[in-house]
Structures are given as C-alpha cells and as structure tokens.
Amino acid sequence: MDAGREGRIHLSTSVPLSHHGRHYRTRPASALLIPLLPDHRTPPAGKPLIPRAESTTEFHPMGTDKKVEYFFASDASAIIEYTNKVIFLEDDDVASVKDGGLCIHRSTRNSSLPNSREIHQLQLELQQIMKGNFNTFMQKEIYEQPESVVNTMRGRVNFDAQTVVLGGLKEYMPEIRRCRRLIFIACGTSYHSTVATRQLMEELTELPVMVELASDFLDRQTPVFRDDVCFFVSQSGETADTLLALRFCKRRGALIVGVTNTVGSSISRESHCGVHINAGPEIGVASTKAYTSQFIALVMFGLMMCEDSISKIQRRTEIIMGLKKLPSHIREVLKLDDKIRSLAQELYQQKSLLVMGRGYNYATCLEGALKVKELTYMHSEGILAGELKHGPLAMVDKSMPIVMFVMNDELKQKTMNALSQVTTRGGRPIIICNEGDEELLNSGLRVIEIPQAVDALQGILTVIPMQLLSFHIAVLKGFDVDCPRNLAKSVTVE
C-alpha cells in the first residue's frame, strides 16, 4: 500500500481507539505505539526518522516522498506480524495522520522532553506470541517457565565463577549500597514477587526492606527520602498505580529502579536504572512466567548486594547453585500435571479454597489464591499459617477445601503444628511437600511431592502446582483462561 498517496490508517483490533478525525491522544499512565512499516530506504544511522521542528511542538516524517504505513496499537504483540519498528507516544501527545503523513503534537509544552523521537526496533518474533501446540496462551506460558527462567539468568549468572552481574544496575551499585532502606512497590502478582523475596533481601542486604502495594502507598503519601532506593516492579511497565508511585518517589529525590518485562515501557523509560526480566511475551491476563522471572531477578539483585560480604559466601554459593538446578526442577514439577488435573476434578464445583503456608511460602499462598480468583471466579484466600488461631481457623471444617504448603525448612515444625490444628477441626487439606517426606506421605492426606530446593527458591517450585490447579479448574468450568472476565493484562487506570 502507498500510504503517502492514499493516507490510510490501520487500527489494531486489540485496542478500541476512537478514530474520528484521525487524532489519537494519550492520557497519563497510558501507552500508545505507532508502529511503522516503511517501503522506502531507512535514514542514516544515528538520525531519528521523526525530528522535531524547532519552532513548533509538531513532528513530521523525514522526506517529502516518504511512504510509510501506520498502525495504532497499545501493545507490540498486536502488530509484530506487520512490523518491528515503533514510536512510543508520551503523555499528552496527540498523533494525527493526514494525507499519509504523521504529525505528533504536544498538547502542553515541556522542555524536558527530547527534541526527537527514537524509533525502537522490537526484539520480538511472531512465533513467540502464537499458541503453538497448546490450546491456550496461559498453558503455553506455564510450560515455558523452564526456558524463561534460563533467559532471565542468561548472561547475568556465571555459575563457574559464582558471580552475578545485572548490567542495568552495575553503575549504580555503590549508590544503592549506601542507601538507608529499600522500598519495593508493585501491584497484584508483581507485588507477590516482592513479598516472596523480601526475607532473602533482608538477609543478604542487612537493610530495612519495605514492600508496598502501589495504590496504598499513594493513598498514605508515604514519606520517601533522597537516600531511599525504590524498586518498581511491573510486567507491562505501564501499571498506572505503580507509575504514579514512581513519579511520586522521583519528585522526592529517591533513586528509581524499574523491573519490567517490556523494553521501552513507561516505567523503564522513567527509571534511573533497571532490570529487564527477559521472560518473553506474556499474552494470558493471569501472569505466570513473569512472576517466576521477577522472583529470580530480585534474587539476583540480592546476590549482587552481598558479593563483597565474606560472611555470606556460603549462602551466596548455595543460592547460585540452586539457581542452576531450577530449570530441571521446574520440568519435574510440570510432570505432575495429570495428578493436579485429577485434583481439579474434585475441586471445581467447590465455592471456596483456602491456601495456607508460612515463611518463604506465604507469598505462594497469596499468589496461588490470586490465580484461583482470577481464573476460576471462586473465593480463595491466602492465609499465613501463623495467623490461623487469630480468626481463619473458624472457617475450617470437613467440607472446606484447603491447600497447605509444608516444606523441609526451618519452619516445618511450626507449619506441622498448623496442619495439626486443621486436621483436628476435621479439615482434610491437600499437602504440597518435598519429595520423600515420609511423615506426610504416611499421614493419609492427599500429597503432591515437589523437588527439594534452596529454601529461598522453593517458592518458584511451589507456585507452579497452583498455576496448574487454577488452570484446570477454569477449563473444567468452561471459562476463558486467557481473558478472565472484568480483567485486563495492563492496568492503565487507577
């Protein structure tokens, strides 16, 4: 198509954008891509395709005979079939296509914005966003986790030299080590990944670690200081509450670290430094592989923080070798799919499900319960086992479905006490435990055995049975697992 002659616009069906007058305006905390499909030569290296006119806030394509086909979309996956070149609109931009030419206007003048717009080339292939041999994207993404965790570690963890280097943080590490506290801010599944690594982060950094839900953090107008380091974790990098919290902290002079799965996202662009988790495209609304990759990225940061500590050499070595074994352990857990499907057959007609654990597995309880809610529309609650007698125990009876995590770690005896409290009240929980735990195997309860891992990494393995269980219950109920009702992949409003 000769867009320069016909002036046609392509609108991605993945995003219902209004096209009256052919103007597109971005609101704060939103993202709009303008992918470009040129049928002419590319400009010289180092020169932007759309320079800014000095006297106006308007951008024009370079060259009067330029032939460019334009697509409008909110996510790269919608247009990767046609082009891998995109321009990101900033907040308050107005994009207009007229007579085949693109103009980008600033509705408000802002001298801090660059005088040119960079054309980003996406490192994304069409096959990455296809279902392949799977029926749903979510199932595919669950089974991609042995590869996605390797991609998160690739080029960063040297297992022979026992070193970890996150290139995006390397120059900032002296400043981060001098900070007074670490604040991790996120929403939903990303928040759970910060809860999962908080205990390890406190152990390795010996710093106060705060974990905050972005919406609550903003509601409280939490005090933030110049010597704080604030981490903002988001799969999409466009989560509205997280982005607003980032700007709140940035105005107060804190160092901003972004942890995202999307290159060029708002959070990655507005952070001082950051980590790309390299999990690959995640299409299903319910996050799976992004959670485990976020988990590993935060663990790697903790390992970088303590690399100079002699007292932590043994612990670092233990965790690094545990990371090396993770892909094979995840494959072993995925082999339990048939057993978990049979458990789903027993549970899918229930109205509620309680998920209990403590220590490193408390975050797994929260994340597992969230997956059940997202996919199956059942009531589900993640409960800290240490809080049972403070209220939740009243819900336990012989008809209440319960899943409990009982791992071979320092808290096993305390978790066994909680299990005893549950069974005494008639509860018959499904136990997820380590392989070869004779005490639990002989308990007469239904047991799912998973490989033994380092305590701090066990949560990566324990969450996968909950992902599979939620998936199978949703399928048995006939629900759309990729697009649960009332939910969106990127939450771009408060």
Side-chain angles (χ1 to χ4, degrees):
M1 183 200 74
D2 187 341
R5 295 173 186 167
E6 300 182 26
R8 294 174 61 187
I9 304 173
H10 293 256
L11 293 178
S12 168
T13 56
S14 67
V15 185
L17 297 175
S18 171
H19 62 282
H20 297 294
R22 296 175 180 173
H23 292 269
Y24 303 85
R25 179 169 178 172
T26 56
R27 65 180 183 276
S30 70
L32 181 64
L33 303 171
I34 302 182
L36 305 176
L37 181 60
D39 58 353
H40 196 58
R41 66 178 181 84
T42 56
K47 292 188 177 180
L49 181 63
I50 302 188
R52 177 177 177 182
E54 293 296 331
S55 60
T56 69
T57 56
E58 186 173 335
F59 297 79
H60 295 279
M62 191 172 78
T64 57
D65 61 341
K66 193 68 177 174
K67 299 176 182 178
V68 178
E69 189 173 5
Y70 298 101
F71 298 76
F72 288 79
S74 68
D75 191 87
S77 60
I79 49 81
I80 193 63
E81 183 177 355
Y82 308 102
T83 179
N84 65 346
K85 294 183 173 65
V86 301
I87 297 170
F88 294 97
L89 295 187
E90 304 290 344
D91 290 346
D92 300 316
D93 275 357
V94 179
S96 172
V97 176
K98 182 179 180 181
D99 297 329
L102 168 69
C103 297
I104 302 176
H105 304 264
R106 293 292 301 164
S107 61
T108 57
R109 185 176 290 275
N110 188 342
S111 60
S112 66
L113 289 173
N115 289 328
S116 61
R117 292 300 173 85
E118 180 182 356
I119 295 176
H120 296 266
Q121 186 154 341
L122 301 170
Q123 302 299 317
L124 181 65
E125 297 179 4
L126 183 61
Q127 65 183 24
Q128 292 180 283
I129 58 170
M130 302 299 285
K131 292 179 184 176
N133 296 324
F134 296 93
N135 294 323
T136 66
F137 284 111
M138 182 183 176
Q139 186 181 27
K140 173 177 177 277
E141 287 152 10
I142 291 172
Y143 275 84
E144 283 177 341
Q145 287 176 108
E147 291 75 37
S148 64
V149 298
V150 170
N151 291 336
T152 302
M153 295 185 282
R154 180 173 284 118
R156 295 166 167 174
V157 182
N158 185 323
F159 295 109
D160 295 327
Q162 303 278 300
T163 59
V164 178
V165 177
L166 295 171
L169 301 182
K170 189 175 180 180
E171 293 182 7
Y172 290 84
M173 288 307 294
E175 184 177 351
I176 294 173
R177 289 193 178 98
R178 290 195 302 268
C179 74
R180 65 185 291 177
R181 63 176 174 173
L182 301 172
I183 306 176
F184 293 84
I185 302 168
C187 300
T189 289
S190 297
Y191 169 74
H192 295 156
S193 72
T194 66
V195 175
T197 52
R198 173 177 54 188
Q199 182 177 341
L200 180 66
M201 208 68 70
E202 290 170 337
E203 177 188 348
L204 297 181
T205 67
E206 297 183 356
L207 288 168
V209 178
M210 292 177 60
V211 172
E212 297 281 353
L213 283 165
S215 56
D216 183 53
F217 180 84
L218 287 167
D219 292 345
R220 299 187 343 254
Q221 295 286 291
T222 308
V224 177
F225 307 99
R226 290 179 60 86
D227 48 2
D228 290 333
V229 174
C230 300
F231 284 73
F232 296 87
V233 188
S234 168
Q235 190 282 140
S236 67
E238 302 292 347
T239 309
D241 286 319
T242 307
L243 189 55
L244 291 172
L246 182 154
R247 292 167 180 163
F248 174 88
C249 295
K250 199 171 186 178
R251 287 193 299 270
R252 284 152 180 80
L255 179 68
I256 306 301
V257 182
V259 181
T260 78
N261 192 37
T262 310
V263 175
S265 63
S266 296
I267 288 176
S268 63
R269 296 199 307 274
E270 296 191 29
S271 300
H272 295 120
C273 56
V275 181
H276 183 245
I277 65 172
N278 292 326
E282 190 177 65
I283 309 300
V285 168
S287 183
T288 51
K289 65 178 182 176
Y291 173 80
T292 49
S293 287
Q294 288 169 347
F295 192 128
I296 290 173
L298 295 175
V299 168
M300 290 192 294
F301 166 72
L303 293 171
M304 280 187 71
M305 285 288 286
C306 69
E307 63 185 2
D308 295 332
S309 174
I310 296 176
S311 63
K312 294 184 174 61
I313 290 177
Q314 183 176 349
R315 180 63 163 162
R316 285 186 80 255
T317 301
E318 179 187 27
I319 295 170
I320 290 173
M321 297 316 297
L323 289 172
K324 185 176 183 179
K325 297 175 184 176
L326 262 184
S328 60
H329 284 164
I330 293 173
R331 290 187 183 95
E332 290 182 45
V333 176
L334 291 172
K335 292 177 183 177
L336 300 170
D337 194 19
D338 290 338
K339 185 172 185 178
I340 294 170
R341 186 186 294 112
S342 66
L343 291 174
Q345 291 276 1
E346 301 175 25
L347 295 173
Y348 83 99
Q349 292 181 320
Q350 299 288 340
K351 301 296 183 184
S352 185
L353 177 66
L354 304 183
V355 189
M356 301 181 185
R358 66 186 300 162
Y360 284 110
N361 289 294
Y362 175 51
T364 304
C365 298
L366 298 176
E367 175 62 12
L370 178 62
K371 287 292 156 283
V372 173
K373 286 181 277 196
E374 283 180 304
L375 298 171
T376 73
Y377 316 149
M378 289 168 56
H379 164 261
S380 185
E381 188 175 346
I383 297 172
L384 185 66
E387 289 292 297
L388 264 181
K389 289 187 175 180
H390 298 277
L393 196 58
M395 294 189 291
V396 174
D397 60 26
K398 63 181 180 181
S399 63
M400 174 62 74
I402 301 171
V403 174
M404 286 195 72
F405 296 97
V406 186
M407 298 294 118
N408 288 326
D409 55 24
E410 292 181 354
L411 299 177
K412 182 181 178 182
Q413 190 54 53
K414 292 183 178 181
T415 312
M416 290 296 291
N417 292 341
L419 174 60
S420 175
Q421 295 290 332
V422 169
T423 55
T424 301
R425 272 75 179 180
R428 303 291 295 170
I430 298 167
I431 305 297
I432 298 178
C433 67
N434 292 125
E435 293 174 340
D437 192 321
E438 295 297 331
E439 183 178 5
L440 291 169
L441 290 173
N442 296 327
S443 66
L445 300 171
R446 290 163 295 178
V447 174
I448 295 175
E449 297 178 84
I450 64 173
Q452 175 79 53
V454 179
D455 54 0
L457 304 177
Q458 193 74 65
I460 294 173
L461 303 181
T462 53
V463 78
I464 295 173
M466 293 305 301
Q467 294 173 350
L468 290 169
L469 182 65
S470 303
F471 168 78
H472 288 304
I473 292 175
V475 169
L476 289 168
K477 289 189 169 193
F479 297 150
D480 185 343
V481 295
D482 287 333
C483 299
R485 69 187 183 196
N486 307 332
L487 300 178
K489 184 62 178 172
S490 299
V491 183
T492 56
V493 293
E494 293 183 74

